[in-house]
């Protein structure tokens, strides 16, 4: 029996707060241990501060946000626009998966608006796949683990793939009850709020997260605020019927009846 541990793997500081934090908070309320890791440092997230200042500031902000979520925090592995599907980050990420032993991995959509997100998704999927392969060497070295893991993909930015086609979730999660805490976690990323406020008007940062969860809620036809998820193939990960997210969150989840017939 896998322990109740969920690991969120995202590209940039604040991506978890945008796309995944509501579900993480609900899992936490259901007694799960939750972990957060953004692969990139966020060093490009400023127009007037240098990379070193931005990297250090965003690291502090991400740690604070993890504290608000009640999540264990893992440091980033590289800088923005430097997330590649290659062996170095894969070995490090696989070590983290073996160490954390998650039953649920939350990550980006395989189709998304930019490559840091899609590369993070590919690294997360392979790191989870490699968890039990004795001959795959991780850095630092960690023993293989044998627990099942179910990988869930978040909704892409803008709810569309890179070719502007809509992406439809398989499962809706009702995040209405935790929306305020999700907002509080996102607000920890103050440096982003400041420069987006300046460039896009007051509180655009918090407002766009609100609009996103309201839009997914509307898609569900039932919930006010929601997050949407799609399960990765079970092959090499878990049993075909495994859906630990629905098992854990029960009435706060809703399958999408239109999912199977939707375009990829
Ligand atoms: Zn991002």
């Amino acid at each position: 029996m896998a322990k109740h541990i969920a690991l969120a793997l995202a590209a940039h500081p604040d991506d978890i707060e945008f796309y995944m934090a509501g579900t993480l908070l609900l899992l936490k309320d259901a007694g799960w241990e939750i972990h957060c890791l953004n692969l990139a440092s966020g060093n490009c997230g400023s127009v007037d501060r240098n990379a070193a200042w931005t990297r250090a500031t965003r690291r502090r902000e991400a740690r604070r946000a993890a504290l608000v979520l009640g999540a264990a925090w893992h440091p980033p592995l590289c800088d923005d626009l430097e997330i590649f599907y290659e062996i170095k980050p894969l070995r490090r990420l696989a070590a983290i998966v073996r160490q954390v032993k998650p039953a649920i991995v939350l990550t980006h959509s395989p189709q998304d608006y930019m490559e840091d997100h899609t590369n993070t998704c590919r690294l997360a999927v392979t790191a989870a796949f490699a968890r039990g392969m004795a001959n795959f060497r991780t850095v630092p070295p960690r023993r293989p683990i044998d627990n099942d893991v179910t990988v869930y993909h978040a909704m892409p930015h803008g709810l569309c793939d890179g070719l502007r086609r809509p992406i439809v979730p398989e499962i809706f999660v009702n995040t209405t009850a935790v929306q305020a805490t999700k907002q509080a976690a996102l607000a920890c990323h103050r440096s982003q709020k400041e420069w987006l406020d300046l460039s896009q008007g007051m509180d655009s940062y918090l407002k766009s997260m609100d609009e996103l969860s309201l839009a997914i809620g509307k898609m569900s036809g039932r919930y006010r605020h929601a997050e949407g998820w799609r399960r990765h193939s079970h092959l090499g990960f878990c049993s075909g019927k495994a859906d630990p997210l629905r098992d854990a969150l029960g009435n706060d989840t809703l399958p999408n009846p239109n999912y199977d017939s939707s375009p990829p």
Side-chain angles (χ1 to χ4, degrees):
M1 173 74 186
K3 276 200 236 158
H4 289 170
I5 300 170
L7 170 62
L9 297 173
H12 310 111
D14 77 11
D15 281 335
I16 288 175
E17 288 74 11
F18 256 96
Y19 309 106
M20 311 174 188
T23 300
L24 280 176
L25 283 163
L26 292 169
L27 285 170
K28 172 118 181 123
D29 287 348
W32 284 56
E33 183 181 310
I34 58 172
H35 292 251
C36 289
L37 191 160
N38 46 270
L39 267 77
S41 66
N43 68 311
C44 291
S46 174
V47 284
D48 53 1
R49 301 286 197 149
N50 67 27
W53 184 92
T54 310
R55 191 186 296 116
T57 301
R58 298 198 69 188
R59 186 185 177 99
R60 274 199 306 278
E61 292 171 346
R63 294 196 79 154
R64 221 173 285 143
L67 215 58
V68 170
L69 296 176
W73 181 84
H74 300 262
L77 309 182
C78 63
D79 280 333
D80 291 0
L81 306 184
E82 296 180 21
I83 302 176
F84 298 113
Y85 187 78
E86 59 185 0
I87 194 61
K88 217 170 143 192
L90 185 58
R91 292 199 194 284
R92 292 181 66 191
L93 212 52
I96 290 161
V97 169
R98 289 181 182 183
Q99 177 202 331
V100 172
K101 302 181 180 62
I104 289 177
V105 165
L106 305 177
T107 191
H108 288 294
S109 167
Q111 308 85 9
D112 213 322
Y113 82 121
M114 62 98 73
E115 302 295 311
D116 276 358
H117 285 209
T118 49
N119 288 338
T120 294
C121 170
R122 296 179 69 196
L123 288 165
V125 167
T126 306
F129 192 85
R131 73 199 179 285
M133 290 178 170
N135 291 346
F136 184 75
R137 189 167 45 83
T138 66
V139 176
R142 296 266 184 258
R143 283 182 190 287
I145 57 171
D146 60 6
N147 61 279
D148 281 2
V149 58
T150 306
V151 177
Y152 292 85
H153 297 289
M155 292 299 284
H157 188 54
L159 308 179
C160 285
D161 69 11
L163 299 174
R164 306 169 184 232
R165 292 170 300 196
I167 296 291
V168 175
E170 178 193 12
I171 303 154
F172 294 101
V173 173
N174 177 15
T175 55
T176 312
V178 292
Q179 182 67 8
T181 314
K182 190 176 163 181
Q183 287 259 12
L186 183 63
C188 293
H189 298 274
R190 198 162 294 162
S191 64
Q192 300 307 288
K193 179 179 163 3
E194 278 162 11
W195 81 265
L196 284 167
D197 282 356
L198 283 174
S199 58
Q200 292 171 33
M202 280 298 285
D203 273 339
S204 65
Y205 194 56
L206 300 176
K207 217 190 282 170
S208 47
M209 191 274 277
D210 231 35
E211 284 165 3
L212 178 70
S213 61
L214 286 168
I216 302 171
K218 203 168 174 188
M219 262 188 227
S220 77
R222 187 184 293 183
Y223 303 137
R224 180 163 164 76
H225 291 281
E227 288 172 355
W229 297 98
R230 293 181 295 164
R231 281 178 300 171
H232 198 86
S233 166
H234 63 285
L235 298 170
F237 296 92
C238 56
S239 81
K241 289 197 183 323
D243 194 348
L245 197 54
R246 294 206 69 204
D247 294 343
L249 304 183
N251 287 340
D252 276 324
T253 64
L254 186 68
N256 183 355
N258 304 320
Y259 177 65
D260 287 342
S261 57
S262 71

